Amino acid sequence: MTAIPDTPSRPSSILEADARTRKRNAAEKRFRMYGLGAIFVGLTALVLLLTSILMQGLPAFQQSYVTLEVPLLEDTLDPSGERNIDDIAGVISFGYNGLIEQAVEDAIETQGIEIEGLDDPAEIVSNQAAAQVRRFVLANPERIGTSETFRFLTTSRVDQYYKGQVTMASAERDSQISPQQLQLAEALAEAGLLEQSFNWNFVTQPDASDQRPEAAGLGVAILGSAYMMLIVLCLALPIGVAASIYLEEFAPTNRITDIIEVNISNLAAVPSIVFGILGLAIFINFAGLPQSAPIVGGLVLTLMTLPTIIISTRASLKSVPPSIRDAALGVGASKMQAVFHHVLPLAGPGILTGTIIGLAQALGETAPLLLIGMVAFVTEYPDAPPEGFFDPATALPVQVYNWTQRADPAFAERASGAIIVLLVFLAIMNITAILLRRRFERRW
Amino acid sequence: MKDVRADERDTTMNDVKIETKGVQVYYGENHAIKDVSLAIKDKTVTAFIGPSGCGKSTFLRCLNRMNDTIDIARIEGEISIDGEDIYDPRVDPVQLRAKVGMVFQKPNPFPKSIFDNVAYGPKIHGLASNKAELDEIVETSLRRAAIWDEVKDRLQAPGTGLSGGQQQRLCIARAVATSPEVLLMDEPCSALDPIATAQVEELISELRTRYSVVIVTHSMQQAARVSQKTAFFHLGDMVEYGETDDIFTNPQDPRTEKYITGRIG
Ligand SMILES: Nc1ncnc2c1ncn2[C@@H]1O[C@H](COP(=O)(O)OP(=O)(O)O)[C@@H](O)[C@H]1O
Ligand SMILES: [Mg+2]
C-alpha cells in the first residue's frame, strides 16, 4: 500500500477571506444582481403595461349623459288616436328623430342658450335615443300626448370632448361634430342637463354599430365567455380528472400508455389556432353545429384545456405519497376505494388549481375563436342555457380584438376597458386558485 | 423444512397458519426470491432477518398479495393460508388483505382523525352495522394496540399529529380493526426511537396471543427479543429457518453465523 499523500494545506486564518473565496463571493453577488435586474425589468414592464391599459381603458367606464324632456306628440306617434299598439309599433325609430330634435330645441329655449351658427343641435344626442324613446312608448302607450324626461347617451364625440380626445380645433374638421355643438354641450352641462356618470351599460349592453359607439357594451361577450367557461368546466374537469386517474393509478405501464403520455404533453404545446382549425373542421363542417356559438367555442377550448388539466392532475396525484395508497390497500380497500377515499381528496387542491389555471387560459384565448366565427357582430343576448349554448355570441378577448379593428376612438377606449374586465376576471380566478391551495393544502 | 418444524423445543405446538411452497418472485429480470418454502405457525411471532436487499419485504408482501400492485412483479409457487391458496384466481386480494393485516416501515396514518383511521377498515368491510358497534371496534382496536389511554380524549384529532411511536401503534390498531388473523409488519420500528420501539415490541408480544405475527427486522436483537421463530434470508434465498434461540445460539449455516456475528450485512 502506498502512503496517501497529504492534502494541500490551506492558509490558516479564517478571519481573512482567501482569493478563491473572494472570487466565489463576487460571482454569487453578480448572480444576485442579475436576478434582481431581471425582476426589475419584468416589474417595470408590468407596471407600464397596466398603467397604459388603465389610462386608456378606465374612461370606458365613464360616459356622458344628457337629460331631456321629450314631448310624446300624438300627431307623430299615434296619428289615428286609437292607442292601437300595432299602429304605434308601425312608427319606426326613424320617426322619433323629430321628437328628439324638438326636445333639444326646447331645452335650448328654456335654458336661454344662444349660440351663433348652431346647426343640427340634436346631433349631440346618441343615435340610440330614438330607439330608447320608442321602446318606452311601446311599453307605456298611455303616456302618449304627455311629455317625459329621458336620460340619453350623448354621441361619442361629445363624450370624447369631455375625455380630452376631441377639441374645438378637431371639431372644426370633423363632419360628425361642430364647435357650436360642443358649445351647446357645455351650455347644457352648465345648466346641469349634461353630466358624466358610471357606465354600467358598458358591462351589460351588447355591442353596437359604428353609428353609435357610445352604446357599445360587453354584455354579450361576457355571457358568451361565461357560457364557454361553463362548458369547459363541465367537460374538461370530469374528462381530464378521469383520464388522469386512469393513467396514473390504473393503467399498466406499456408502449400504448407511453405513447398516450407523450401525446398529451405534446398536445399541451400545440398552438391554439390549430385547435381552432380542428374545431372548424369537426364541430362546424362535419358535425354541423352552428357557427359563432358558445357550444363550439366551449368544445374547442375544452380540447385545449384538457392537456393542462390532465398534466396538473397527474402531478398532484403523483405528489400524494405512495404510503397512503399502501395504507389503504393494506387494510383491504380496493384500488378504487384507495383512490377515491384517500388519494383524490389529497390531490384535490392541486387538481382545482390546475383546473382554474386551465380555465383562465381558456378565458383569454382568442385565435381559435376567430376561426369558428365567434368574431361576428352580435347585438342579441344568447338565451339561457342550454339553448343559449347554440345562439350566436362573442367572447371577451374576441371583443377586444374586434374593437381594436374599428375606427372610432370610442372603440379604442372600449377595447382597453374590455381588457380591464378580462384582467379582473383572470385575477379573480387566479386568486381563487391561490386561496383554495392555501386553504386545503396538506392538512396533516 | 419439515425436520426443523419437528424440533422438540417447539413448545407452542400450534397449527400451521401460512404455508409457502417453492415461492419465486421476479421483478422483471431480477430474481428477488428463490424457491422459498416455509410454514408459519399460528399465535407465534415469526421474524425475517437478513441483510438489506435480500428480499425480506418482498417475501412478506407476497403473503397478503401487496406485490400485485407492482406491475413488474411476478410470483410463482404456492402460498396458502389455512390450507387455502391465496393466489387462486377465485381469491379477491381485497378480502385477503382484511384477513392478513399489514403494518409498514414508516408510520403511515391517513391524514384524517384518529377515529377515522381505525374506523376506515371496518367501514369498508361492513364490520359494524351502527355507530355504537363502530365505536366499540375502534376502542377495542386502540386498546389492543396499547394506545387507547393516550388518545381516548382526542379521537377526533388528526392521526398525523401523534408522535412517531404513537402513529405506528395507531397503524397497528388500524390493521387490527379489520379482525385479521395474521399481522405482517415490515420493519415497524425502524423509524422509531428506542422508547417507542420498546413499546411497540411489547405490543407485538401481546398481539401474539391472538394473531400470527410476521415481522421483518434488520435488528437481530429485536428478532431475539420478540420472536419465537426466525427465518434468515440472504440474496433471495431463505438460508435457515427455525426456533429463534437456535438460530442465534447454534446457527447451522455458515452464512447465518457470519450475519449474526456481524460479518455480513
Ligand atoms: N418495487 C420493486 N421493483 C423492482 N425491484 C424491487 C422492488 N422492490 C424490491 N425490489 C428488489 O428486490 C430485491 C429485494 O428487495 P426487498 O424485498 O425490498 O429487500 P429487503 O426488504 O430485504 O431489504 C432488491 O434487489 C430490490 O432491488
Ligand atoms: Mg425491506
Side-chain angles (χ1 to χ4, degrees):
Chain A
M1 263 227 216
T2 54
I4 301 167
D6 283 342
T7 47
S9 66
R10 330 191 99 261
S12 51
S13 171
I14 56 163
L15 294 177
E16 204 175 317
D18 60 15
R20 227 190 137 67
T21 315
R22 273 200 301 276
K23 215 168 135 191
R24 236 168 24 192
N25 290 350
E28 189 171 322
K29 207 165 176 178
R30 267 200 310 278
F31 180 76
R32 278 199 221 169
M33 297 311 274
Y34 296 151
L36 274 176
I39 290 174
F40 179 74
V41 171
L43 278 183
T44 321
L46 186 68
V47 168
L48 282 179
L49 182 77
L50 281 182
T51 16
S52 104
I53 288 175
L54 287 179
M55 300 269 283
Q56 291 178 36
L58 280 180
F61 294 90
Q62 287 276 324
Q63 200 71 38
S64 306
Y65 293 87
V66 56
T67 312
L68 294 174
E69 177 104 2
V70 182
L72 304 177
L73 304 176
E74 190 169 26
D75 294 354
T76 321
L77 301 182
D78 191 17
S80 64
E82 286 165 6
R83 296 291 182 273
N84 181 340
I85 198 78
D86 291 331
D87 288 348
I88 301 174
V91 182
I92 58 168
S93 294
F94 187 75
Y96 285 71
N97 282 340
L99 300 182
I100 310 287
E101 281 160 23
Q102 186 64 53
V104 177
E105 269 154 28
D106 288 354
I108 292 173
E109 197 158 314
T110 46
Q111 298 298 331
I113 298 168
E114 275 177 39
I115 296 165
E116 213 163 300
L118 175 63
D119 294 327
D120 298 330
E123 269 190 2
I124 65 163
V125 182
S126 166
N127 288 328
Q128 155 137 312
Q132 191 180 337
V133 176
R134 180 170 183 264
R135 220 176 306 127
F136 174 84
V137 169
L138 289 181
N140 310 284
E142 75 283 355
R143 304 291 275 275
I144 293 177
T146 65
S147 67
E148 187 70 33
T149 308
F150 286 91
R151 198 156 169 269
F152 296 123
L153 284 163
T154 65
T155 64
S156 76
R157 285 297 193 277
V158 171
D159 182 58
Q160 294 292 318
Y161 174 66
Y162 284 101
K163 290 170 181 166
Q165 303 290 329
V166 169
T167 58
M168 289 294 176
S170 76
E172 200 77 61
R173 289 171 267 120
D174 197 328
S175 63
Q176 294 183 35
I177 195 91
S178 67
Q180 289 77 11
Q181 287 166 341
L182 290 179
Q183 282 167 18
L184 169 63
E186 289 217 317
L188 287 174
E190 211 147 293
L193 293 178
L194 191 148
E195 90 274 80
Q196 278 76 40
S197 68
F198 190 78
N199 182 15
W200 274 114
N201 292 344
F202 178 58
V203 203
T204 57
Q205 291 300 305
D207 193 8
S209 70
D210 289 345
Q211 261 62 58
R212 42 188 189 98
E214 61 278 358
L218 280 170
V220 173
I222 290 178
L223 262 187
S225 278
Y227 283 7
M228 287 194 293
M229 289 305 105
L230 203 65
I231 293 169
V232 174
L233 187 67
C234 292
L235 290 178
L237 183 63
I239 297 176
V241 170
S244 319
I245 292 178
Y246 179 77
L247 284 174
E248 200 54 47
E249 306 283 340
F250 294 94
T253 37
N254 58 30
R255 269 190 96 90
I256 299 173
T257 44
D258 280 353
I259 292 173
I260 291 178
E261 209 156 297
V262 170
N263 275 309
I264 289 174
S265 317
N266 285 343
L267 271 185
V270 168
S272 55
I273 194 128
V274 176
F275 284 100
I277 294 178
L278 188 80
L280 181 65
I282 293 181
F283 299 127
I284 295 180
N285 292 344
F286 179 71
L289 289 170
Q291 283 201 6
S292 316
I295 181 80
V296 181
L299 287 171
V300 169
L301 293 179
T302 299
L303 290 181
M304 271 191 51
T305 315
L306 263 178
T308 314
I309 293 187
I310 292 181
I311 289 171
S312 68
T313 302
R314 291 189 66 181
S316 26
L317 287 175
K318 265 200 194 97
S319 74
V320 175
S323 65
I324 296 291
R325 295 178 182 82
D326 282 347
L329 295 178
V331 292
S334 67
K335 207 155 178 177
M336 199 162 132
Q337 286 172 324
V339 169
F340 281 89
H341 295 169
H342 300 287
V343 178
L344 208 52
L346 292 176
I351 296 175
L352 272 183
T353 330
T355 307
I356 293 176
I357 289 173
L359 279 183
Q361 250 175 34
L363 181 64
E365 199 53 68
T366 326
L369 301 183
L370 296 181
L371 279 183
I372 58 161
M374 299 268 315
V375 74
F377 175 66
V378 184
T379 52
E380 298 246 324
Y381 296 106
D383 286 344
E387 295 84 25
F389 290 152
F390 296 88
D391 291 344
T394 52
L396 274 174
V398 180
Q399 191 69 69
V400 172
Y401 169 79
N402 200 335
W403 280 341
T404 54
Q405 305 295 97
R406 303 222 216 148
D408 198 291
F411 284 120
E413 167 191 298
R414 281 176 154 62
S416 294
I419 290 175
I420 294 176
V421 172
L422 186 59
L423 286 181
V424 167
F425 279 123
L426 291 177
I428 291 175
M429 291 171 90
N430 283 323
I431 290 170
T432 317
I434 292 170
L435 289 183
L436 279 175
R437 165 155 274 173
R438 285 260 176 83
R439 170 83 180 73
F440 292 110
E441 205 173 40
R442 293 202 187 270
R443 274 181 302 176
W444 65 81
Chain B
M1 292 303 111
K2 289 268 188 278
D3 12 272
V4 182
R5 245 185 340 118
D7 194 314
E8 287 93 19
R9 294 187 68 249
D10 183 1
T11 45
T12 43
M13 291 309 283
N14 285 317
D15 316 326
V16 172
K17 186 72 186 170
I18 303 177
E19 183 148 33
T20 77
K21 284 196 196 116
V23 173
Q24 320 269 359
V25 182
Y26 302 85
Y27 289 115
E29 291 299 299
N30 180 4
H31 195 172
I33 291 289
K34 296 164 191 156
D35 193 25
V36 172
S37 305
L38 86 175
I40 294 168
K41 296 188 153 214
D42 202 4
K43 313 235 185 309
T44 306
V45 178
T46 307
F48 293 171
I49 60 170
S52 168
C54 65
K56 308 178 295 287
S57 302
T58 300
F59 187 65
L60 190 76
R61 292 164 61 91
C62 289
L63 303 182
N64 69 345
R65 294 187 54 174
M66 279 297 271
N67 281 336
D68 290 14
T69 59
I70 301 171
D71 282 336
I72 53 169
R74 191 157 51 83
I75 292 125
E76 287 169 10
E78 230 178 80
I79 302 177
S80 55
I81 291 186
D82 294 332
E84 292 173 339
D85 181 6
I86 66 168
Y87 280 93
D88 189 288
R90 281 169 298 175
V91 172
D92 189 333
V94 163
Q95 243 169 306
L96 171 72
R97 288 183 202 136
K99 191 165 163 168
V100 183
M102 185 148 194
V103 177
F104 298 84
Q105 182 164 359
K106 226 179 110 228
N108 57 352
F110 300 128
K112 301 182 180 219
S113 72
I114 293 171
F115 183 92
D116 287 342
N117 261 283
V118 183
Y120 181 68
K123 265 190 205 154
I124 58 173
H125 294 292
L127 299 184
S129 51
N130 55 41
K131 179 83 172 78
E133 272 179 46
L134 193 62
D135 286 346
E136 197 182 313
I137 294 178
V138 170
E139 179 173 344
T140 323
S141 311
L142 287 169
R143 278 188 195 282
R144 289 208 178 129
I147 191 182
W148 171 251
D149 290 330
E150 290 156 68
V151 299
K152 64 177 178 226
D153 301 322
R154 45 169 172 156
L155 289 177
Q156 294 311 322
T160 41
L162 298 171
S163 75
Q166 289 173 324
Q167 285 190 15
Q168 195 59 299
R169 278 178 286 150
L170 176 62
C171 291
I172 293 174
R174 180 176 67 191
V176 164
T178 55
S179 323
E181 294 164 26
V182 180
L183 267 184
L184 308 178
M185 301 189 174
D186 192 349
E187 307 196 16
C189 301
S190 65
L192 305 185
D193 61 61
I195 294 172
T197 300
Q199 285 169 329
V200 172
E201 282 180 6
E202 194 181 330
L203 170 60
I204 291 170
S205 307
E206 280 166 32
L207 291 173
R208 179 196 159 203
T209 55
R210 294 172 187 280
Y211 313 98
S212 165
V213 180
V214 185
I215 174 171
V216 169
T217 171
H218 56 228
S219 148
M220 286 169 287
Q221 291 81 354
Q222 186 171 63
R225 282 193 299 265
V226 300
S227 71
Q228 288 76 52
K229 291 274 203 173
T230 297
F232 172 64
F233 286 79
H234 186 246
L235 298 177
D237 290 308
M238 194 196 66
V239 175
E240 199 165 344
Y241 176 50
E243 294 297 309
T244 300
D245 293 348
D246 286 351
I247 296 268
F248 282 101
T249 54
N250 186 18
Q252 303 296 307
D253 193 285
R255 286 171 293 181
T256 319
E257 190 182 344
K258 271 189 182 166
Y259 181 70
I260 59 177
T261 53
R263 274 176 289 155
I264 38 176

